[in-house]
Amino acid sequence: MSAPHTDVEKVEAANTSFYAALEQGDFELLSALWLSPSDVDVDETYHDPADAGVISCVHPGWPVLSGRGEVLRSYALIMANTDYIQFFLTDTHVSVTGDTALVTCTENILSGGPAPAEGDELGPLLGQLVVATNVFRRTAAGWKLWSHHASPVLAGSEEEDDEESPA
Amino acid sequence: MSAPHTDVEKVEAANTSFYAALEQGDFELLSALWLSPSDVDVDETYHDPADAGVISCVHPGWPVLSGRGEVLRSYALIMANTDYIQFFLTDTHVSVTGDTALVTCTENILSGGPAPAEGDELGPLLGQLVVATNVFRRTAAGWKLWSHHASPVLAGSEEEDDEESPA
């Protein structure tokens, strides 16, 4: 592939790594993929310093989580309650401008909860259709996640129809 | 407020205008608030030209819509099916880096559908709790929406609890 595609490829690789870290239950890798205050340029003077590099995360059906503390705690909790999870990504779309990248993708999820304490049955297996918008920022240590917003697809069709949901 | 807050204030104003356009059913204003190809800098050479300035939008429970055609059609449809809508925004958080801004907010929505064709009853009134991640880009014509992702809050509490949803 030619040079102009490099950033797009790097962002797509970072996006893939994010889901791989979740599949592997690799909390350290996951933590390293999220933007941290040390990644943020000191010459950013445009915004409120309190907001510098604050990450945000919305899991399907959840409210907004803000900051590394809340976000990473939620993943620790999810990993503790997930024995098995696999993401089949489709419709991945990457757009890069300057030092920011926007990724949209469909997460076709197959997951399993913890097995019941008694007996040797497996936990329940669950299929979910989720869409995600992931925003990455370029840092000295590579592209890092700034925002992840995932939500369940409740409509039956790919086409818009008479939905009740307005915004 | 002091000078460094200016960008944050402008982004917050653009975010407010977006919801005001929806409340007023002002399709022209709404269209103007979304990024258009003419807003995108010609010196952006980093990414796939096909992805330059492509907008994306996720309504609560919907799949991803991409490009002005799909996105604006969805709003025309929503406006046609909404007689009344009001957004009470809370927890608005704005972060600006370079020419990109990230906004998270909670949309406390009160909306009403079209009245029944017969009789003079009002349409059904509906309250919804929705969270949104909005990404804006700085353009010569002001801050424009690049991505909007909204999703229903299904959990009962602000705190993470034993949810089934993984990412």
Side-chain angles (χ1 to χ4, degrees), chain A residues 3-8 18-19 22 44-48 50-54 56 58-66 70 73-75 77-78 81-82 85 87 93-98 100-102 104-107 109 111 126 128 130-133 135 137-138 146-155 157-167, chain B residues 3-8 18-19 22 44-48 50-54 56 58-66 70 73-75 77-78 81-82 85 87 93-98 100-102 104-107 109 111 126 128 130-133 135 137-138 146-155 157-167:
Chain A
H5 291 255
T6 304
D7 271 334
V8 170
F18 168 62
Y19 292 104
L22 290 170
E44 281 188 23
T45 54
Y46 285 103
H47 53 68
D48 186 334
D51 286 338
V54 171
S56 64
V58 178
H59 300 297
W62 287 38
V64 179
L65 306 177
S66 289
E70 274 188 24
R73 267 199 303 278
S74 75
Y75 280 108
L77 188 71
I78 287 167
N81 286 284
T82 307
I85 189 159
F87 295 89
H93 183 94
V94 180
S95 189
V96 180
T97 179
T100 312
L102 182 68
T104 56
C105 58
T106 300
E107 306 173 355
I109 304 175
S111 65
L126 184 69
Q128 279 180 286
V130 167
V131 286
T133 300
V135 188
R137 280 172 62 171
R138 187 200 309 270
W146 187 18
S147 165
H148 167 69
H149 192 140
S151 61
V153 178
L154 308 173
S157 133
E158 285 284 305
E159 290 303 299
E160 59 265 3
D161 40 22
D162 282 5
E163 289 295 322
E164 79 289 354
S165 302
Chain B
H5 291 254
T6 304
D7 271 335
V8 169
F18 168 61
Y19 292 104
L22 290 170
E44 282 188 23
T45 54
Y46 284 103
H47 53 70
D48 187 333
D51 286 338
V54 170
S56 65
V58 179
H59 300 297
W62 287 39
V64 179
L65 306 178
S66 288
E70 273 188 26
R73 267 199 304 278
S74 75
Y75 280 108
L77 189 71
I78 286 166
N81 285 283
T82 307
I85 189 160
F87 295 89
H93 183 95
V94 180
S95 189
V96 180
T97 180
T100 312
L102 183 68
T104 57
C105 58
T106 301
E107 306 172 355
I109 303 175
S111 65
L126 185 70
Q128 280 180 285
V130 167
V131 287
T133 300
V135 188
R137 281 172 62 172
R138 187 199 310 269
W146 186 18
S147 166
H148 167 70
H149 191 141
S151 61
V153 177
L154 307 173
S157 134
E158 284 284 305
E159 290 303 298
E160 58 265 6
D161 40 22
D162 282 5
E163 289 296 320
E164 78 289 355
S165 303

Side-chain angles (χ1 to χ4, degrees), chain B residues 6-63:
Chain B
T6 304
D7 271 335
V8 169
E9 287 169 5
K10 285 179 183 168
V11 170
E12 188 160 4
N15 195 60
T16 304
S17 297
F18 168 61
Y19 292 104
L22 290 170
E23 287 183 342
Q24 294 155 17
D26 188 336
F27 186 77
E28 293 304 310
L29 174 57
L30 188 79
S31 304
L33 289 168
W34 279 93
L35 192 72
S36 72
S38 62
D39 293 323
V40 177
D41 245 352
V42 288
D43 62 359
E44 282 188 23
T45 54
Y46 284 103
H47 53 70
D48 187 333
D51 286 338
V54 170
I55 60 174
S56 65
C57 177
V58 179
H59 300 297
W62 287 39

